Amino acid sequence: MSDNFDENGFWAKVTRYAKVAGREVVEKALWLYYAAQRPETPMWAKTMVFGALTYFVVPVDAIPDMLPVVGYTDDLGVLAAAVATLAVYINQDVKALAAAKLHDWFG
């Protein structure tokens, strides 16, 4: 894992703010997280994932997350760019793991 990525911070933020951030933001974060757990995902891709997830977790970013409606738009942009770059590593297994976690949180 990346030296800067805080896995506990990731799970704490996603769990605490899942409903506020919205399903789409959380889905992208989970896709990236689970793709990085796969042994087949190369180190360069894992590095990109951890960079995007670190941006998501760190409380200081371009648009403060506490702002209603727009607070997570920058996070979504960073996550979506990483998803687009790493789409080949986001397979059905990754999506199934994310879907199960989303179902727990969103129903």
XYZ file of all heavy atoms in Angstrom:
837
model
N 0.834 -1.183 0.000
C 0.000 0.000 0.000
C 0.877 1.244 0.000
O 2.000 1.219 0.457
C -0.913 0.024 1.223
C -1.951 -1.045 1.215
S -3.483 -0.423 1.859
C -4.478 -1.827 1.577
N 0.315 2.320 -0.463
C 1.023 3.592 -0.490
C 1.297 4.071 0.930
O 0.507 3.870 1.839
C 0.179 4.633 -1.226
O 0.722 5.912 -1.054
N 2.448 4.732 1.102
C 2.800 5.261 2.419
C 1.828 6.339 2.866
O 1.642 6.548 4.058
C 4.225 5.831 2.389
C 5.260 4.737 2.186
O 4.967 3.571 2.503
O 6.353 5.057 1.711
N 1.219 7.061 1.926
C 0.326 8.158 2.263
C -1.132 7.731 2.433
O -1.926 8.478 2.977
C 0.391 9.252 1.190
C 1.765 9.868 1.126
O 2.414 10.040 2.148
N 2.207 10.189 -0.063
N -1.479 6.553 1.949
C -2.865 6.098 2.026
C -3.144 5.548 3.411
O -2.415 4.721 3.933
C -3.143 5.025 0.970
C -4.537 4.474 1.038
C -5.624 5.258 0.680
C -4.762 3.181 1.463
C -6.913 4.760 0.743
C -6.047 2.672 1.530
C -7.123 3.457 1.166
N -4.222 6.000 4.010
C -4.631 5.563 5.338
C -5.891 4.721 5.194
O -6.990 5.254 5.024
C -4.876 6.791 6.216
C -5.391 6.431 7.598
O -5.404 5.239 7.960
O -5.784 7.365 8.315
N -5.727 3.404 5.234
C -6.863 2.508 5.038
C -7.932 2.711 6.108
O -9.129 2.732 5.808
C -6.398 1.053 5.023
C -7.508 0.093 4.664
C -7.020 -1.309 4.362
O -5.806 -1.578 4.453
O -7.868 -2.141 4.024
N -7.521 2.902 7.358
C -8.492 3.142 8.425
C -9.244 4.453 8.181
O -10.452 4.533 8.396
C -7.807 3.170 9.793
C -7.301 1.807 10.192
O -7.859 0.783 9.814
N -6.227 1.775 10.951
N -8.526 5.477 7.722
C -9.159 6.752 7.401
C -10.150 6.618 6.260
O -11.218 7.231 6.267
N -9.788 5.794 5.265
C -10.685 5.551 4.135
C -11.993 4.951 4.620
O -13.080 5.454 4.319
C -10.013 4.625 3.117
C -10.954 4.109 2.062
C -11.398 4.947 1.048
C -11.410 2.810 2.081
C -12.273 4.484 0.071
C -12.278 2.331 1.109
C -12.710 3.176 0.104
N -11.921 3.859 5.386
C -13.136 3.185 5.847
C -13.935 4.068 6.795
O -15.169 4.080 6.754
C -12.815 1.835 6.483
C -12.483 0.821 5.454
C -11.265 0.239 5.234
C -13.354 0.294 4.449
N -11.343 -0.616 4.162
C -12.608 -0.608 3.667
C -14.689 0.495 4.140
C -13.161 -1.307 2.604
C -15.241 -0.199 3.064
C -14.482 -1.092 2.312
N -13.244 4.832 7.635
C -13.957 5.739 8.551
C -14.737 6.789 7.779
O -15.904 7.065 8.073
C -12.966 6.400 9.509
N -14.103 7.394 6.757
C -14.780 8.439 5.993
C -15.920 7.860 5.169
O -17.018 8.418 5.140
C -13.809 9.178 5.088
C -14.507 10.310 4.333
C -13.567 11.259 3.687
C -14.330 12.416 3.051
N -13.436 13.413 2.500
N -15.679 6.766 4.498
C -16.721 6.171 3.652
C -17.911 5.749 4.503
O -19.059 6.008 4.143
C -16.163 4.979 2.838
C -17.273 4.214 2.162
C -15.172 5.451 1.806
N -17.638 5.143 5.647
C -18.727 4.705 6.515
C -19.505 5.891 7.070
O -20.734 5.893 7.073
C -18.169 3.851 7.675
O -17.464 2.740 7.121
C -19.273 3.349 8.570
N -18.781 6.904 7.512
C -19.423 8.050 8.150
C -20.178 8.922 7.157
O -21.242 9.439 7.454
C -18.356 8.891 8.859
C -18.934 9.987 9.729
C -17.870 10.725 10.546
N -16.793 9.870 10.981
C -15.495 10.102 10.704
N -15.136 11.152 10.027
N -14.571 9.272 11.131
N -19.627 9.097 5.951
C -20.190 10.064 5.009
C -20.813 9.435 3.772
O -21.086 10.129 2.801
C -19.112 11.068 4.582
C -18.635 11.911 5.736
C -17.379 11.718 6.273
C -19.460 12.881 6.297
C -16.931 12.479 7.342
C -19.024 13.647 7.361
C -17.760 13.442 7.877
O -17.339 14.197 8.934
N -21.055 8.147 3.791
C -21.588 7.468 2.602
C -22.859 8.134 2.088
O -22.978 8.430 0.899
C -21.839 5.990 2.901
N -23.795 8.383 2.959
C -25.078 8.971 2.520
C -24.899 10.407 2.045
O -25.527 10.826 1.088
C -26.096 8.925 3.661
C -26.395 7.532 4.122
C -27.698 7.037 3.614
C -28.005 5.706 4.283
N -28.747 4.825 3.545
N -24.024 11.161 2.699
C -23.795 12.555 2.319
C -23.058 12.627 0.978
O -23.416 13.408 0.101
C -22.984 13.294 3.413
C -22.632 14.702 2.968
C -23.758 13.323 4.713
N -22.023 11.809 0.834
C -21.235 11.819 -0.397
C -22.061 11.311 -1.572
O -21.893 11.763 -2.703
C -19.980 10.962 -0.238
N -22.933 10.369 -1.316
C -23.793 9.817 -2.358
C -23.285 8.509 -2.904
O -22.098 8.196 -2.853
N -24.208 7.766 -3.421
C -23.920 6.426 -3.925
C -22.851 6.426 -5.021
O -21.979 5.573 -5.038
C -25.222 5.800 -4.435
C -25.076 4.367 -4.821
C -26.410 3.782 -5.310
N -26.268 2.376 -5.543
C -26.598 1.428 -4.684
N -27.133 1.744 -3.526
N -26.416 0.162 -4.960
N -22.923 7.378 -5.945
C -21.979 7.386 -7.065
C -20.543 7.602 -6.596
O -19.628 6.918 -7.048
C -22.370 8.460 -8.079
C -21.522 8.405 -9.338
C -21.995 9.371 -10.402
O -22.922 10.156 -10.160
O -21.405 9.328 -11.489
N -20.337 8.539 -5.700
C -18.992 8.804 -5.181
C -18.462 7.577 -4.436
O -17.338 7.123 -4.667
C -18.987 10.042 -4.247
C -17.650 10.192 -3.546
C -19.320 11.298 -5.031
N -19.289 7.028 -3.567
C -18.880 5.873 -2.775
C -18.633 4.665 -3.674
O -17.665 3.919 -3.472
C -19.929 5.564 -1.684
C -19.598 4.276 -0.946
C -20.013 6.731 -0.708
N -19.459 4.475 -4.681
C -19.270 3.358 -5.604
C -17.902 3.432 -6.273
O -17.171 2.445 -6.329
C -20.367 3.358 -6.668
C -20.191 2.265 -7.713
C -21.235 2.364 -8.796
O -21.304 3.424 -9.471
O -21.978 1.385 -8.971
N -17.547 4.604 -6.779
C -16.247 4.767 -7.452
C -15.103 4.514 -6.479
O -14.115 3.864 -6.820
C -16.098 6.164 -8.056
C -17.170 6.566 -9.046
C -17.314 5.612 -10.200
C -18.386 6.044 -11.160
N -19.689 5.414 -10.987
N -15.230 5.022 -5.253
C -14.184 4.805 -4.245
C -14.028 3.316 -3.948
O -12.901 2.805 -3.855
C -14.506 5.584 -2.977
N -15.139 2.606 -3.821
C -15.083 1.171 -3.545
C -14.521 0.389 -4.726
O -13.742 -0.554 -4.535
C -16.464 0.644 -3.159
C -16.985 1.107 -1.801
C -18.437 0.670 -1.614
C -16.117 0.591 -0.661
N -14.906 0.750 -5.944
C -14.325 0.083 -7.118
C -12.807 0.195 -7.082
O -12.096 -0.792 -7.301
C -14.827 0.715 -8.407
C -16.210 0.358 -8.826
C -17.078 -0.489 -8.220
C -16.890 0.866 -9.966
N -18.265 -0.530 -8.915
C -18.180 0.293 -9.998
C -16.544 1.773 -10.962
C -19.103 0.574 -10.989
C -17.469 2.062 -11.950
C -18.735 1.458 -11.967
N -12.328 1.392 -6.834
C -10.880 1.601 -6.803
C -10.241 0.827 -5.666
O -9.206 0.164 -5.847
C -10.561 3.091 -6.687
C -10.925 3.923 -7.911
C -10.799 5.407 -7.601
C -10.067 3.544 -9.106
N -10.829 0.889 -4.506
C -10.277 0.191 -3.344
C -10.172 -1.311 -3.632
O -9.116 -1.913 -3.412
C -11.140 0.441 -2.104
C -10.649 -0.350 -0.918
C -9.570 0.099 -0.172
C -11.236 -1.568 -0.568
C -9.093 -0.635 0.902
C -10.773 -2.304 0.495
C -9.702 -1.837 1.223
O -9.213 -2.576 2.274
N -11.258 -1.912 -4.086
C -11.246 -3.356 -4.321
C -10.351 -3.734 -5.512
O -9.740 -4.796 -5.501
C -12.662 -3.890 -4.495
C -13.444 -3.899 -3.203
C -14.667 -3.267 -3.111
C -12.955 -4.545 -2.071
C -15.387 -3.274 -1.916
C -13.660 -4.544 -0.874
C -14.870 -3.914 -0.805
O -15.579 -3.919 0.378
N -10.249 -2.882 -6.510
C -9.328 -3.155 -7.628
C -7.881 -3.166 -7.136
O -7.073 -3.979 -7.590
C -9.504 -2.114 -8.727
N -7.564 -2.292 -6.199
C -6.202 -2.238 -5.663
C -5.871 -3.463 -4.815
O -4.691 -3.789 -4.641
C -6.009 -0.969 -4.843
N -6.876 -4.144 -4.300
C -6.642 -5.340 -3.482
C -6.300 -6.567 -4.328
O -5.780 -7.547 -3.804
C -7.882 -5.640 -2.631
C -8.320 -4.499 -1.737
C -7.212 -3.948 -0.877
O -6.538 -4.677 -0.163
N -6.991 -2.647 -0.979
N -6.589 -6.487 -5.630
C -6.339 -7.635 -6.512
C -4.844 -7.790 -6.780
O -4.170 -6.828 -7.131
C -7.061 -7.455 -7.847
C -8.566 -7.418 -7.712
C -9.263 -7.240 -9.047
N -8.958 -8.383 -9.897
C -8.575 -8.277 -11.175
N -8.461 -7.113 -11.760
N -8.333 -9.350 -11.872
N -4.316 -8.995 -6.665
C -2.892 -9.212 -6.948
C -2.533 -8.912 -8.415
O -1.401 -8.545 -8.720
C -2.654 -10.688 -6.638
C -3.883 -11.195 -5.984
C -4.980 -10.196 -6.189
N -3.517 -9.035 -9.307
C -3.268 -8.811 -10.736
C -3.105 -7.331 -11.088
O -2.645 -6.990 -12.173
C -4.413 -9.380 -11.578
C -4.660 -10.856 -11.407
C -5.535 -11.182 -10.188
O -6.111 -10.267 -9.561
O -5.623 -12.374 -9.867
N -3.535 -6.448 -10.207
C -3.441 -5.016 -10.478
C -1.991 -4.586 -10.297
O -1.405 -4.804 -9.235
C -4.360 -4.224 -9.522
O -5.704 -4.700 -9.679
C -4.308 -2.738 -9.818
N -1.390 -3.998 -11.344
C 0.031 -3.619 -11.261
C 0.271 -2.466 -10.278
O -0.646 -1.706 -9.946
C 0.370 -3.191 -12.686
C -0.922 -2.894 -13.341
C -1.977 -3.685 -12.639
N 1.506 -2.355 -9.837
C 1.860 -1.364 -8.830
C 1.566 0.057 -9.295
O 1.118 0.883 -8.503
C 3.328 -1.507 -8.435
C 3.705 -0.645 -7.249
S 2.636 -0.845 -5.784
C 3.028 -2.486 -5.290
N 1.786 0.376 -10.576
C 1.511 1.742 -11.038
C 0.030 2.082 -10.871
O -0.331 3.197 -10.516
C 1.957 1.960 -12.492
C 1.114 1.246 -13.514
C 1.357 0.033 -14.075
C -0.133 1.710 -14.072
N 0.332 -0.300 -14.947
C -0.580 0.712 -14.972
C -0.898 2.855 -13.906
C -1.765 0.830 -15.699
C -2.075 2.965 -14.625
C -2.497 1.963 -15.517
N -0.831 1.080 -11.102
C -2.264 1.300 -10.980
C -2.659 1.435 -9.505
O -3.480 2.284 -9.150
C -3.035 0.153 -11.633
N -2.068 0.611 -8.650
C -2.341 0.711 -7.217
C -1.905 2.079 -6.694
O -2.602 2.676 -5.872
C -1.628 -0.400 -6.458
C -2.221 -1.767 -6.728
C -1.477 -2.852 -5.979
C -2.078 -4.212 -6.328
N -1.565 -5.291 -5.510
N -0.790 2.574 -7.177
C -0.307 3.891 -6.767
C -1.319 4.965 -7.146
O -1.622 5.867 -6.351
C 1.064 4.186 -7.401
O 1.984 3.175 -6.969
C 1.584 5.552 -7.002
N -1.883 4.865 -8.337
C -2.898 5.827 -8.772
C -4.154 5.709 -7.905
O -4.739 6.713 -7.504
C -3.248 5.624 -10.238
C -4.317 6.598 -10.731
S -4.612 6.455 -12.478
C -3.329 7.545 -13.060
N -4.555 4.490 -7.612
C -5.722 4.269 -6.754
C -5.506 4.922 -5.397
O -6.359 5.670 -4.908
C -6.006 2.756 -6.567
C -6.962 2.515 -5.414
C -6.554 2.150 -7.847
N -4.364 4.647 -4.795
C -4.122 5.181 -3.450
C -4.004 6.703 -3.466
O -4.401 7.363 -2.504
C -2.909 4.520 -2.822
C -3.116 3.039 -2.583
C -2.166 2.122 -2.967
C -4.283 2.572 -1.990
C -2.359 0.771 -2.762
C -4.489 1.224 -1.780
C -3.517 0.315 -2.162
N -3.520 7.264 -4.559
C -3.499 8.718 -4.682
C -4.910 9.290 -4.718
O -5.221 10.260 -4.029
N -5.772 8.679 -5.519
C -7.159 9.149 -5.629
C -7.907 8.954 -4.312
O -8.650 9.834 -3.875
C -7.879 8.408 -6.761
N -7.701 7.816 -3.667
C -8.389 7.559 -2.404
C -7.850 8.446 -1.281
O -8.607 8.854 -0.398
C -8.284 6.080 -2.018
C -9.026 5.118 -2.945
C -8.844 3.676 -2.477
C -10.495 5.463 -3.065
N -6.570 8.760 -1.331
C -6.009 9.688 -0.350
C -6.644 11.060 -0.509
O -7.013 11.708 0.474
C -4.477 9.773 -0.486
O -3.918 8.479 -0.205
C -3.881 10.796 0.464
N -6.826 11.509 -1.751
C -7.495 12.784 -1.992
C -8.910 12.761 -1.415
O -9.366 13.721 -0.810
C -7.552 13.089 -3.489
C -8.145 14.449 -3.784
C -7.351 15.583 -3.772
C -9.504 14.594 -4.041
C -7.896 16.840 -4.021
C -10.059 15.842 -4.284
C -9.247 16.953 -4.280
O -9.793 18.192 -4.509
N -9.582 11.643 -1.585
C -10.943 11.486 -1.074
C -10.978 11.546 0.455
O -11.863 12.142 1.050
C -11.525 10.161 -1.572
C -12.890 9.832 -1.037
C -13.981 10.628 -1.324
C -13.089 8.700 -0.260
C -15.253 10.316 -0.842
C -14.346 8.374 0.222
C -15.422 9.195 -0.065
N -9.992 10.935 1.111
C -9.964 10.823 2.564
C -9.482 12.105 3.242
O -9.999 12.489 4.285
C -9.073 9.636 2.997
C -8.839 9.636 4.496
C -9.697 8.329 2.563
N -8.495 12.768 2.645
C -7.906 13.949 3.284
C -8.956 15.057 3.384
O -9.628 15.374 2.407
C -6.675 14.418 2.481
C -6.149 15.739 2.995
C -5.587 13.362 2.543
N -9.091 15.651 4.556
C -10.144 16.648 4.737
C -9.908 17.959 3.994
O -10.845 18.707 3.763
C -10.162 16.887 6.255
C -8.857 16.399 6.749
C -8.378 15.365 5.778
N -8.684 18.252 3.608
C -8.382 19.494 2.889
C -8.327 19.165 1.398
O -7.478 18.420 0.953
C -7.034 20.084 3.340
C -6.707 21.334 2.558
C -7.048 20.363 4.822
N -9.293 19.698 0.638
C -9.264 19.513 -0.809
C -9.811 20.756 -1.498
O -10.118 21.747 -0.846
C -9.974 18.226 -1.250
C -11.400 18.065 -0.759
O -12.086 19.078 -0.543
O -11.831 16.921 -0.609
N -9.934 20.708 -2.794
C -10.290 21.892 -3.586
C -11.640 22.489 -3.185
O -11.789 23.697 -3.103
C -10.283 21.548 -5.076
N -12.611 21.637 -2.974
C -13.945 22.089 -2.565
C -14.255 21.390 -1.244
O -14.320 20.157 -1.215
C -15.017 21.739 -3.621
C -14.677 22.379 -4.952
C -16.396 22.173 -3.138
C -15.572 21.941 -6.095
N -14.420 22.138 -0.159
C -14.682 21.497 1.132
C -15.888 20.558 1.068
O -16.939 20.918 0.554
C -14.942 22.678 2.068
C -14.251 23.836 1.417
C -14.365 23.586 -0.066
N -15.718 19.360 1.613
C -16.760 18.336 1.559
C -18.011 18.722 2.336
O -19.074 18.164 2.105
C -16.221 17.000 2.089
C -15.126 16.435 1.191
O -15.072 16.818 0.009
O -14.342 15.609 1.677
N -17.903 19.662 3.236
C -19.055 20.045 4.050
C -20.041 20.949 3.308
O -21.145 21.168 3.776
C -18.586 20.735 5.326
C -17.865 19.774 6.255
S -17.151 20.597 7.661
C -15.622 21.185 6.962
N -19.648 21.460 2.143
C -20.561 22.315 1.384
C -21.676 21.468 0.781
O -21.413 20.475 0.109
C -19.823 23.046 0.268
C -18.819 24.110 0.718
C -18.074 24.666 -0.484
C -19.524 25.227 1.459
N -22.922 21.850 0.984
C -24.029 21.070 0.420
C -23.965 21.036 -1.106
O -23.540 21.985 -1.730
C -25.276 21.827 0.890
C -24.823 22.840 1.877
C -23.351 23.006 1.722
N -24.336 19.949 -1.673
C -24.450 19.694 -3.111
C -23.092 19.613 -3.803
O -22.793 18.638 -4.458
C -25.360 20.728 -3.814
C -25.487 20.404 -5.289
C -26.727 20.790 -3.159
N -22.239 20.623 -3.673
C -20.989 20.651 -4.432
C -19.798 20.090 -3.676
O -18.727 19.929 -4.246
C -20.651 22.088 -4.906
C -21.707 22.622 -5.830
C -20.431 23.007 -3.723
N -19.952 19.763 -2.402
C -18.838 19.366 -1.560
C -18.041 18.176 -2.050
O -16.835 18.098 -1.840
N -18.678 17.254 -2.720
C -17.986 16.049 -3.174
C -17.762 16.026 -4.689
O -17.321 15.019 -5.222
C -18.756 14.796 -2.726
C -18.597 14.531 -1.248
C -19.519 15.008 -0.333
C -17.500 13.829 -0.770
C -19.360 14.786 1.025
C -17.333 13.600 0.581
C -18.265 14.078 1.481
O -18.101 13.859 2.817
N -18.032 17.117 -5.387
C -17.854 17.107 -6.845
C -16.398 16.956 -7.235
O -16.091 16.273 -8.211
C -18.447 18.361 -7.502
O -17.872 19.518 -6.909
C -19.953 18.399 -7.379
N -15.486 17.599 -6.509
C -14.067 17.446 -6.833
C -13.606 16.026 -6.527
O -12.844 15.434 -7.303
C -13.212 18.481 -6.107
C -13.300 18.371 -4.598
O -14.398 18.105 -4.082
O -12.261 18.559 -3.936
N -14.097 15.446 -5.432
C -13.746 14.062 -5.103
C -14.234 13.120 -6.208
O -13.501 12.225 -6.633
C -14.374 13.653 -3.768
C -13.861 14.477 -2.609
O -12.840 14.085 -2.018
O -14.474 15.511 -2.298
N -15.468 13.333 -6.655
C -16.009 12.502 -7.733
C -15.176 12.645 -8.993
O -14.898 11.657 -9.669
C -17.472 12.863 -8.021
C -18.134 12.060 -9.145
C -18.090 10.561 -8.870
C -19.573 12.519 -9.349
N -14.748 13.848 -9.311
C -13.910 14.052 -10.496
C -12.608 13.285 -10.417
O -12.188 12.636 -11.391
N -11.946 13.340 -9.279
C -10.682 12.620 -9.090
C -10.920 11.119 -9.168
O -10.181 10.387 -9.844
C -10.023 13.014 -7.749
C -8.868 12.085 -7.402
C -9.554 14.461 -7.786
N -11.967 10.647 -8.487
C -12.269 9.211 -8.505
C -12.655 8.738 -9.905
O -12.223 7.673 -10.350
C -13.385 8.898 -7.508
C -13.052 9.145 -6.030
C -14.303 8.971 -5.179
C -11.935 8.240 -5.548
N -13.464 9.528 -10.613
C -13.889 9.147 -11.974
C -12.703 9.102 -12.933
O -12.635 8.209 -13.786
C -14.952 10.112 -12.476
N -11.770 10.026 -12.795
C -10.582 10.010 -13.653
C -9.756 8.751 -13.385
O -9.265 8.111 -14.327
C -9.744 11.264 -13.416
N -9.620 8.390 -12.128
C -8.879 7.175 -11.792
C -9.614 5.939 -12.309
O -8.987 5.024 -12.855
C -8.672 7.085 -10.280
N -10.934 5.916 -12.175
C -11.722 4.784 -12.684
C -11.546 4.652 -14.193
O -11.352 3.558 -14.718
C -13.220 4.934 -12.309
C -14.093 3.983 -13.127
C -13.414 4.679 -10.823
N -11.600 5.764 -14.910
C -11.445 5.723 -16.371
C -10.066 5.202 -16.758
O -9.933 4.412 -17.699
C -11.672 7.121 -16.955
N -9.043 5.616 -16.032
C -7.683 5.180 -16.331
C -7.483 3.706 -16.003
O -6.760 3.004 -16.709
C -6.669 6.031 -15.530
O -6.878 7.400 -15.859
C -5.236 5.640 -15.853
N -8.137 3.237 -14.965
C -7.905 1.872 -14.466
C -9.053 0.913 -14.768
O -9.138 -0.143 -14.155
C -7.673 1.928 -12.957
C -6.552 2.863 -12.517
C -6.547 3.025 -11.021
C -5.230 2.363 -13.015
N -9.906 1.265 -15.694
C -11.118 0.479 -15.965
C -10.822 -0.995 -16.237
O -11.616 -1.863 -15.849
C -11.885 1.087 -17.137
N -9.713 -1.284 -16.844
C -9.386 -2.670 -17.167
C -9.185 -3.526 -15.908
O -9.355 -4.739 -15.956
C -8.151 -2.737 -18.104
C -6.890 -2.317 -17.388
C -8.002 -4.108 -18.708
N -8.876 -2.904 -14.788
C -8.653 -3.635 -13.537
C -9.904 -3.691 -12.655
O -9.889 -4.309 -11.607
C -7.486 -3.006 -12.757
C -6.238 -2.966 -13.592
C -5.770 -1.770 -14.109
C -5.565 -4.134 -13.915
C -4.639 -1.738 -14.907
C -4.440 -4.115 -14.720
C -3.986 -2.908 -15.214
O -2.881 -2.889 -16.015
N -10.961 -3.041 -13.104
C -12.222 -3.042 -12.354
C -13.140 -4.069 -13.013
O -13.921 -3.754 -13.899
C -12.847 -1.634 -12.329
C -11.874 -0.654 -11.667
C -14.187 -1.647 -11.607
C -12.265 0.794 -11.781
N -12.990 -5.309 -12.578
C -13.736 -6.404 -13.197
C -15.046 -6.678 -12.447
O -15.406 -5.957 -11.519
C -12.855 -7.655 -13.276
C -12.485 -8.195 -11.904
O -13.018 -7.777 -10.882
N -11.557 -9.134 -11.881
N -15.739 -7.700 -12.845
C -17.038 -8.032 -12.249
C -16.907 -8.398 -10.771
O -17.800 -8.113 -9.985
C -17.719 -9.149 -13.020
C -18.192 -8.717 -14.399
C -19.135 -7.527 -14.326
O -18.743 -6.383 -14.128
N -20.411 -7.791 -14.470
N -15.803 -9.045 -10.391
C -15.602 -9.388 -8.984
C -15.492 -8.132 -8.130
O -16.063 -8.052 -7.041
C -14.345 -10.245 -8.805
C -14.474 -11.617 -9.442
O -15.618 -12.092 -9.628
O -13.429 -12.215 -9.758
N -14.742 -7.151 -8.624
C -14.581 -5.874 -7.930
C -15.939 -5.189 -7.795
O -16.303 -4.705 -6.719
C -13.570 -4.975 -8.686
C -13.636 -3.535 -8.224
C -12.163 -5.533 -8.550
N -16.688 -5.164 -8.881
C -17.995 -4.515 -8.862
C -18.969 -5.242 -7.928
O -19.794 -4.601 -7.273
C -18.563 -4.419 -10.273
C -17.820 -3.396 -11.121
C -18.408 -3.283 -12.501
C -17.656 -2.220 -13.294
N -18.215 -2.053 -14.640
N -18.867 -6.566 -7.846
C -19.740 -7.332 -6.953
C -19.423 -7.024 -5.487
O -20.339 -6.877 -4.667
C -19.602 -8.824 -7.224
N -18.144 -6.932 -5.148
C -17.769 -6.577 -3.778
C -18.294 -5.190 -3.416
O -18.839 -4.979 -2.330
C -16.245 -6.621 -3.617
C -15.608 -8.001 -3.624
C -14.089 -7.892 -3.757
C -15.981 -8.766 -2.367
N -18.126 -4.253 -4.342
C -18.606 -2.885 -4.115
C -20.128 -2.862 -3.995
O -20.675 -2.183 -3.117
C -18.142 -1.964 -5.239
N -20.804 -3.602 -4.848
C -22.276 -3.635 -4.814
C -22.789 -4.180 -3.483
O -23.773 -3.674 -2.935
C -22.813 -4.463 -5.973
N -22.120 -5.183 -2.965
C -22.536 -5.760 -1.673
C -22.369 -4.711 -0.557
O -23.259 -4.560 0.287
C -21.709 -6.995 -1.364
N -21.271 -3.992 -0.563
C -21.043 -2.967 0.454
C -22.031 -1.817 0.280
O -22.568 -1.308 1.256
C -19.604 -2.459 0.372
C -19.192 -1.568 1.497
C -19.291 -2.210 2.850
C -18.127 -3.098 3.143
N -18.148 -3.639 4.516
N -22.296 -1.422 -0.952
C -23.278 -0.363 -1.218
C -24.663 -0.783 -0.728
O -25.404 0.036 -0.185
C -23.325 -0.030 -2.712
C -22.127 0.740 -3.249
C -22.150 0.750 -4.770
C -22.100 2.160 -2.696
N -25.005 -2.046 -0.932
C -26.304 -2.540 -0.476
C -26.407 -2.440 1.051
O -27.459 -2.075 1.585
C -26.532 -3.967 -0.939
C -27.849 -4.514 -0.531
N -29.045 -4.061 -1.050
C -28.187 -5.451 0.387
C -30.041 -4.709 -0.487
N -29.547 -5.549 0.401
N -25.303 -2.743 1.740
C -25.293 -2.611 3.206
C -25.585 -1.181 3.633
O -26.295 -0.954 4.608
C -23.929 -3.021 3.780
C -23.665 -4.509 3.674
O -24.607 -5.284 3.428
O -22.481 -4.894 3.845
N -25.024 -0.218 2.919
C -25.122 1.178 3.317
C -26.351 1.905 2.767
O -26.892 2.780 3.407
C -23.882 1.949 2.900
C -22.663 1.573 3.684
C -22.612 1.101 4.961
C -21.314 1.646 3.246
N -21.318 0.875 5.333
C -20.501 1.187 4.309
C -20.710 2.031 2.053
C -19.120 1.140 4.213
C -19.329 1.978 1.972
C -18.542 1.525 3.042
N -26.744 1.563 1.544
C -27.811 2.297 0.893
C -29.104 1.498 0.726
O -30.123 2.050 0.345
C -27.361 2.797 -0.492
C -26.309 3.837 -0.448
C -24.960 3.509 -0.553
C -26.634 5.181 -0.307
C -23.978 4.486 -0.513
C -25.663 6.154 -0.264
C -24.324 5.813 -0.362
N -29.022 0.196 0.940
C -30.204 -0.646 0.766
C -30.401 -1.069 -0.656
O -29.707 -0.805 -1.555
